[in-house]
């Protein structure tokens, strides 16, 4: 395999792997959110149906309350009550039914052939003793029962949610129910929509992956064509510079983002997801969602402020305009204003004539040192000193904080990111970082030789 083909392959492979990982994460998250949405909708829908059934039965009992409370149990009174209940239907499949305590059907406006039959031992398609369960629940004070029953409009057996109450003076069990096949159809549509959205997202990611791979491949070909006459030695130097540039950029992004914006964004994401779920819930949950979104908006303002701060820190104008000493003095004043910790700065000799990259490195070292002091040291006094002569320039940052175990932090793979960043920056300009720490405080010394 030729060198140019290896370069293209090395560029495309990480991209494809990253996009595959993103696709898997997106699919998992979308599936999880879809399941949560389905469960929330199902819960809310059933809650509304239960409230509706309770209302219907209450309306039915009130419609015959005058007859029931009269104390009469003669056939004429009972027939009058049955006639009233038979007229209280709602829709094609909404009706009331009446059974006695022995399971005999007394009234059924949609299936009159059942009237007079004893259905005590009747079982539904699931093997449940439907009528016995209805009578038992009514005698317990009333409640809901799930069972299978023939749907009048389609003449097909469908799941049903019934609500029954007892009328003990007449020995009746009065109830009604709502068929749940409509609920299942609605949930099936939601499942289909979620699956369609996931599939569409996967197709978009696949398209992006293909286009990105093609773009990388074409870019590599164009680069190879334009650099065809470059010697092997120059190619090696260029490859080294590309690798170094990538590592420097990754290190810079890690320093700027590992403690701030990513954590905020995760918190904002979780709050938005919680708010969306609440919106599908009860009115109280919907009201709570508003406060969640207001809190999220406030956090977004904080994120924007952090982005502006990072943008400013990327390249402070005062460093180019007035030099390193002025930039460090301004940094000390800003830090003192931000943390209320006394911060002194002194400049001895001259640091003029340093390359811009060295000025930037020393400024970044001072920034990182102050950041570490703010987060970990608990210092009451900080001092910075910039000293320059004809041979070297040194930057010293001292604090009287709690200190730390230098060897432990330096050897820990997940800690000391800021210290490693300072060391890497100085090594890139042939500088050196020295660090001493005890319970009396910490001293950071950065030295760069003049060339």
């Amino acid at each position: 395999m030729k060198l140019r083909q290896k370069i293209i392959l090395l560029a495309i492979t990480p991209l494809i792997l990253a996009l595959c990982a993103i696709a898997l994460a997106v699919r998992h998250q979308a599936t999880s959110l879809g399941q949560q949405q389905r469960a929330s909708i199902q819960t809310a829908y059933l809650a509304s149906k239960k409230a509706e059934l309770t209302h219907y039965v209450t309306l039915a009992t009130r419609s015959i309350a005058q007859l029931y409370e009269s104390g009469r149990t003669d056939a004429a009174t009972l027939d009058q009550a049955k006639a009233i209940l038979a007229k209280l239907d709602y829709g094609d499949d909404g009706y009331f039914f009446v059974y006695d305590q022995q399971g005999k059907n007394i009234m059924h406006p949609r299936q009159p052939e059942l009237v007079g039959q004893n259905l005590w031992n009747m079982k539904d398609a699931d093997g449940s003793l439907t009528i016995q369960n209805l009578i038992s629940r009514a005698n317990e004070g009333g409640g809901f029962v799930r069972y299978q029953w023939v749907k009048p409009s389609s003449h097909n057996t469908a799941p049903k949610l019934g609500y029954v109450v007892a009328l003990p003076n007449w020995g009746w069990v009065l109830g009604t129910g709502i068929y749940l096949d409509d609920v299942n159809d609605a949930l099936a549509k939601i499942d289909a929509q979620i699956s369609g959205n996931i599939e569409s997202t996967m197709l978009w990611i696949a398209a992006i992956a293909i286009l990105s791979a093609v773009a990388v491949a074409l870019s590599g070909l164009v680069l190879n064509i334009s650099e065809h006459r470059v010697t092997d030695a120059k190619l090696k130097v260029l490859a080294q510079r590309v690798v170094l540039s990538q590592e420097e950029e990754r290190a810079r992004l890690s320093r700027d983002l590992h403690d701030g914006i990513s954590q905020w964004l995760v918190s904002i994401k979780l709050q938005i997801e919680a708010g969306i779920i609440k919106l599908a819930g009860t009115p109280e949950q919907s009201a709570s969602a508003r406060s969640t979104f207001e809190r999220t908006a406030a956090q977004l303002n904080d994120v924007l402020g952090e982005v502006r701060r990072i943008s400013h820190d990327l390249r402070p104008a005062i460093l180019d305009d007035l030099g390193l000493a002025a930039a460090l003095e301004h940094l000390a004043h800003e830090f003192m204003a931000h943390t209320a910790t006394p911060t002194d700065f002194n400049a001895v000799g001259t640091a003029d004539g340093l390359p811009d990259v060295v000025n930037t490195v020393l400024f970044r070292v001072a920034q990182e040192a102050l950041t570490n002091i703010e987060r970990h040291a608990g210092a009451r006094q900080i001092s910075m000193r910039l000293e320059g002569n004809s041979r070297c320039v040194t930057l010293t940052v001292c604090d009287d904080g709690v200190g730390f175990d230098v060897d432990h932090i330096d050897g820990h793979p997940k800690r000391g990111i800021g210290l490693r960043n300072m060391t890497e920056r100085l090594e890139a300009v042939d500088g050196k970082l020295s660090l001493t720490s005890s319970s009396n405080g910490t001293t950071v010394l950065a030295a760069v030789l003049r060339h």
Side-chain angles (χ1 to χ4, degrees):
M1 185 180 292
K2 296 182 180 179
L3 177 60
R4 61 184 181 183
Q5 294 173 336
K6 292 181 179 179
I7 294 175
I8 295 174
L9 181 62
L10 290 174
I12 292 177
T13 301
L15 175 64
I16 297 300
L17 292 176
L19 287 173
C20 289
I22 292 173
L24 291 175
V26 169
R27 183 181 183 86
H28 173 74
Q29 189 66 24
T31 302
S32 177
L33 290 176
Q35 292 173 349
Q36 294 176 8
Q37 181 184 16
R38 187 184 192 279
S40 298
I41 293 175
Q42 183 178 20
T43 300
Y45 198 86
L46 288 178
S48 67
K49 292 298 184 183
K50 288 182 178 180
E52 186 178 349
L53 287 176
T54 304
H55 173 73
Y56 287 154
V57 172
T58 301
L59 180 64
T61 54
R62 288 180 179 177
S63 66
I64 62 173
Q66 185 176 2
L67 296 174
Y68 184 74
E69 293 171 358
S70 68
R72 299 194 305 271
T73 60
D74 56 279
T77 300
L78 298 181
D79 290 341
Q80 186 178 357
K82 287 188 287 184
I84 294 174
L85 293 174
K87 295 179 180 179
L88 293 178
D89 58 358
Y90 46 95
D92 294 335
D93 301 309
Y95 57 86
F96 292 90
F97 54 80
V98 178
Y99 291 89
D100 64 15
Q101 292 294 329
Q102 289 72 42
K104 178 182 177 181
N105 185 277
I106 296 176
M107 185 202 74
H108 200 299
R110 292 295 190 276
Q111 293 177 283
E113 67 276 9
L114 298 180
V115 176
Q117 294 187 29
N118 190 313
L119 306 178
W120 179 260
N121 294 319
M122 178 182 180
K123 295 182 179 181
D124 64 8
D126 296 330
S128 298
L129 292 168
T130 304
I131 307 306
Q132 291 186 30
N133 291 336
L134 291 172
I135 295 173
S136 175
R137 184 55 55 88
N139 292 334
E140 291 173 357
F144 297 95
V145 179
R146 283 176 177 261
Y147 57 96
Q148 301 282 337
W149 198 266
V150 176
K151 189 175 182 179
S153 60
S154 63
H155 302 290
N156 295 323
T157 301
K160 187 174 185 179
L161 177 65
Y163 182 75
V164 290
V165 295
L167 300 177
N169 292 346
W170 291 349
W172 282 6
V173 171
L174 170 64
T176 188
I178 295 179
Y179 291 91
L180 299 179
D181 53 343
D182 294 338
V183 179
N184 295 334
D185 292 342
L187 293 176
K189 291 180 181 179
I190 293 175
D191 292 338
Q193 183 179 7
I194 292 172
S195 299
N197 290 338
I198 293 175
E199 182 179 354
S200 176
T201 302
M202 294 300 102
L203 291 176
W204 273 106
I205 293 177
I208 292 172
I210 294 173
L211 292 176
S212 300
V214 171
V216 171
L218 291 177
S219 299
L221 291 175
V222 172
L223 177 63
N224 287 324
I225 293 173
S226 65
E227 298 294 332
H228 182 67
R229 298 178 181 179
V230 179
T231 64
D232 291 341
K234 290 184 177 181
L235 282 175
K236 291 180 180 179
V237 172
L238 178 60
Q240 292 174 354
R241 290 179 179 177
V242 169
V243 171
L244 179 61
S245 175
Q246 289 176 340
E247 292 302 321
E248 290 176 348
E249 183 66 11
R250 290 171 182 170
R252 182 185 68 81
L253 292 175
S254 176
R255 285 190 297 271
D256 290 340
L257 299 177
H258 79 276
D259 281 335
I261 293 178
S262 62
Q263 296 178 5
W264 264 336
L265 291 178
V266 169
S267 175
I268 290 170
K269 171 181 173 294
L270 293 175
Q271 291 187 53
I272 290 176
E273 291 175 350
I276 292 174
I277 293 174
K278 290 179 180 178
L279 286 176
T282 63
E284 290 80 9
Q285 291 176 329
S286 298
S288 175
R290 178 181 178 86
S291 63
T292 299
F293 288 131
E294 290 175 351
R295 182 167 58 255
T296 302
Q299 289 187 347
L300 283 175
N301 288 332
D302 295 337
V303 173
L304 292 175
E306 181 70 6
V307 170
R308 286 193 292 268
R309 183 193 67 76
I310 293 175
S311 177
H312 172 72
D313 290 343
L314 287 175
R315 186 65 187 178
I318 191 173
L319 185 61
D320 297 323
D321 298 337
L322 300 180
L324 179 60
L328 290 175
E329 184 176 10
H330 179 70
L331 177 63
H333 290 161
E334 281 190 337
F335 183 81
M336 183 165 56
H338 172 65
T339 63
T341 303
T343 306
D344 298 326
F345 172 77
N346 293 311
V348 179
T350 178
D352 295 337
L354 291 173
D356 290 342
V357 64
V358 175
N359 287 334
T360 301
V361 166
L362 291 175
F363 183 82
R364 297 303 185 199
V365 168
Q367 278 185 317
E368 191 68 47
L370 291 176
T371 299
N372 289 339
I373 292 171
E374 179 185 2
R375 292 176 179 172
H376 310 296
R380 293 171 295 180
Q381 181 72 37
I382 303 171
S383 64
M384 287 199 304
R385 179 184 178 90
L386 179 67
E387 185 173 1
N389 53 43
S390 59
R391 293 185 299 108
C392 69
V393 175
T394 60
L395 171 66
T396 306
V397 182
C398 301
D399 69 80
D400 60 354
V402 296
F404 58 93
D405 187 343
V406 177
D407 294 335
H408 176 69
I409 294 296
D410 187 58
H412 199 290
K414 295 184 178 180
R415 304 180 67 180
I417 294 178
L419 298 179
R420 288 195 292 273
N421 288 339
M422 290 190 285
T423 301
E424 292 170 0
R425 286 181 183 273
L426 286 167
E427 289 177 350
V429 294
D430 296 328
K432 184 178 181 181
L433 180 74
S434 298
L435 183 66
T436 59
S437 182
S438 68
S439 58
N440 296 323
T442 301
T443 299
V444 177
L445 175 62
V448 179
L449 295 176
R450 289 183 183 269
H451 296 288

